[in-house]
Amino acid sequence: MEAGGLEWLLVPVHQLVSWGAAGAMVFGGVVPYIPQYRDIRRTQNAEGFSTYVCLVLLVANILRILFWFGRHFESPLLWQSIIMIITMLLMLKLCTEVRVSNELNIKRRSFAAADSKDEEIKAPPKRSYLDFDLNYFWHWSKFTDYVQCVLTFTCVTGYITYLWLDSSLFVETLGFLAVFTEAMLGVPQLYRNYQNMSTEGMSVKMVLMWTSGDTFKTVYFILNQAPFQFSICGLLQVFVDIAILLQVYLYSYYPQKPVSHTAHPASTKAL
């Protein structure tokens, strides 16, 4: 009787824990971007956020969704990719609007301050996805250009995946590229810290959030027997996060050069 009663209690508890873990997997990845989104809206300044982070995460999660068609994995991981894509598109929309608005404000201030009509400072030309100019790739003036680029990438990679879906080598490679791309998100920050011999201007709290999130995600992969690519690249993400935190310690207690007061952009990993 006691064993049966205990089992009756443990089953719903286990179910609740499973639902909680799945919910954390689906929405946990977007949590660090919520305060960033609010800060940009409040300050109307997007200079501290690198939109290349959006590019990396969009590519990684689109490839992960395509990988699902070749090898079904846990549903929460699929929904995580969908939620992350929506989040990155919202971030791109806000950043584009703020950047264009600031450019227009600068033009107005310059024109009003000009002593003569010959001194008018013209706004930079608007760049479009259809310009095919690599120098301005991912620096376009309209949110629709980013959407067109994402849709083009999705259609092309989706068509290739459809043609090669029967190839296990292609499917496994696709899965590896998806998670490896996301795992490399912190490497630019790691390299920049090494170049500057400093972590000044980097959000340590955000890196801590990413470390805890990546650790939880990796444990989830291992316990739920996700495809091996997920576990390997999850561990790689954790190692990169730990390396960045080690840089914080080393450069704080053993500074390599005089600390500059010039503000650096916020962490690409955190943002």
Side-chain angles (χ1 to χ4, degrees):
M1 288 295 292
E2 292 182 1
L6 186 60
E7 183 179 353
W8 175 84
L9 179 63
L10 290 177
V11 169
V13 171
H14 181 269
Q15 190 67 39
L16 286 175
V17 172
S18 299
W19 288 345
M25 278 300 304
V26 173
F27 297 102
V30 305
V31 170
Y33 298 96
I34 295 176
Q36 182 67 51
Y37 185 90
R38 295 179 62 183
D39 286 344
I40 293 175
R41 283 186 62 89
R42 177 175 55 84
T43 63
Q44 289 297 295
N45 185 349
E47 292 181 1
F49 179 76
S50 172
T51 54
Y52 283 109
V53 174
C54 299
L55 173 62
V56 171
L57 288 175
L58 284 169
V59 170
N61 286 281
I62 289 171
L63 293 179
R64 184 192 290 187
I65 292 174
L66 294 176
F67 176 53
W68 182 85
F69 288 99
R71 182 177 176 183
H72 293 331
F73 46 79
E74 289 285 322
S75 296
L77 300 180
L78 177 64
W79 281 105
Q80 181 199 44
S81 293
I82 296 173
I83 296 298
M84 183 61 77
I85 289 173
I86 295 173
T87 302
M88 290 301 101
L89 289 175
L90 290 174
M91 291 295 299
L92 279 174
K93 185 175 186 298
L94 177 63
C95 290
T96 305
E97 291 174 350
V98 169
R99 186 177 69 249
V100 172
S101 175
N102 288 340
E103 288 176 354
L104 292 175
N105 290 335
I106 291 173
K107 179 188 176 184
R108 292 195 192 101
R109 287 197 298 270
S110 300
F111 176 71
D115 294 332
S116 67
K117 62 181 180 180
D118 295 332
E119 296 178 8
E120 177 182 354
I121 301 177
K122 297 182 180 179
K126 293 184 178 296
R127 298 295 174 177
S128 169
Y129 168 61
L130 298 178
D131 287 343
F132 298 109
D133 190 339
L134 293 179
N135 293 324
Y136 295 96
F137 177 78
W138 212 250
H139 293 287
W140 302 308
S141 305
K142 293 182 179 179
F143 173 65
T144 53
D145 292 315
Y146 294 95
V147 175
Q148 290 175 18
C149 181
V150 171
L151 289 177
T152 301
F153 176 79
T154 303
C155 291
V156 172
T157 53
Y159 180 68
I160 296 174
T161 302
Y162 174 76
L163 294 178
W164 291 87
L165 200 58
D166 294 332
S167 171
S168 59
L169 177 61
F170 174 82
V171 171
E172 296 300 328
T173 302
L174 183 66
F176 176 77
L177 288 176
V179 289
F180 183 76
T181 301
E182 185 175 358
M184 290 293 99
L185 190 61
V187 172
Q189 180 65 48
L190 186 71
Y191 182 67
R192 195 200 72 182
N193 293 342
Y194 173 75
Q195 281 188 314
N196 296 337
M197 293 297 175
S198 171
T199 57
E200 182 186 3
M202 187 187 70
S203 174
V204 179
K205 291 182 179 179
M206 282 293 186
V207 177
L208 287 171
M209 290 178 65
W210 274 103
T211 305
S212 59
D214 291 339
T215 302
F216 171 82
K217 181 171 60 177
T218 303
V219 172
Y220 182 91
F221 291 158
I222 296 174
L223 293 180
N224 288 273
Q225 298 181 343
F228 76 96
Q229 297 99 324
F230 287 73
S231 300
I232 293 175
C233 291
L235 289 171
L236 180 59
Q237 279 185 282
V238 174
F239 289 146
V240 172
D241 295 338
I242 293 175
I244 294 174
L245 292 176
L246 286 175
Q247 287 181 323
V248 174
Y249 173 78
L250 291 175
Y251 297 148
S252 297
Y253 291 92
Y254 305 98
Q256 304 296 310
K257 66 177 184 178
V259 178
S260 171
H261 294 287
T262 303
H264 297 291
S267 166
T268 55
K269 178 66 174 178
L271 302 178

